[in-house]
Amino acid sequence: MYIGEIARLAGTSPKALRHYETLGLLGDVRRSGAYRVYTQQDLAQVRLIRQAQALGFRLAELLPILAGDDTDWAALSRHIAAKRAQIQQDIARLRRLDAQLADIDAEIGDCLARQHLSNPQ
C-alpha cells in the first residue's frame, strides 16, 4: 500500500510516516520507483507507535525498542513497567496536592464563615 492508504488506516499523516521512517522506527520501507510501498507489518508497526504515543511514550523512548526490523518486546515490556511506576508516583503526588487544596479550601471556608458572622448583612 502507498503512503496515503497506510496513513488513513493508521490514523496518522503521511508527514508522520516519513518522520517515523527517518528516525528508523519503520525499518527499511520498500520503494517502487519514487513511491514508498508499505506492508501489513509496517501498518502494525505504525499502529504500535501511535498506541505507545497515546499512552504517553515519546518517540525518543521508542527508538531503541522499535528501531530496525525487529521489535525488542522485552525492552518494550520494561519500558511499560517503568511508565506504570511513574504514573503511580504521579497519582500519589496528585493525591497529596488534592489533599493540600482541600485543606486550603476548608481554611478559606472558615474565613468566609467568620467574615459572615462578623459582618452579617
Side-chain angles (χ1 to χ4, degrees), residues 26 43 76 89 93:
L26 292 180
L43 176 59
L76 183 56
Q89 290 174 358
R93 180 183 56 78

Side-chain angles (χ1 to χ4, degrees), residues 39-118:
T39 64
Q40 287 297 321
Q41 184 176 348
D42 294 325
L43 176 59
Q45 185 80 345
V46 171
R47 286 179 172 159
L48 179 62
I49 292 165
R50 302 271 301 150
Q51 183 178 28
Q53 286 183 297
L55 293 171
F57 287 90
R58 297 180 328 273
L59 290 177
E61 292 176 284
L62 298 175
L63 280 172
I65 302 165
L66 300 179
D69 292 326
D70 292 321
T71 300
D72 185 345
W73 295 107
L76 183 56
S77 181
R78 287 190 302 274
H79 272 67
I80 288 171
K83 182 66 76 176
R84 292 186 71 211
Q86 181 61 52
I87 288 170
Q88 291 301 317
Q89 290 174 358
D90 291 345
I91 289 169
R93 180 183 56 78
L94 290 170
R95 284 190 175 137
R96 288 190 303 273
L97 179 60
D98 183 52
Q100 290 172 337
L101 289 169
D103 290 345
I104 291 169
D105 194 37
E107 289 177 25
I108 292 169
D110 290 344
C111 291
L112 289 170
R114 283 193 302 273
Q115 181 183 30
H116 180 69
L117 288 175
S118 64

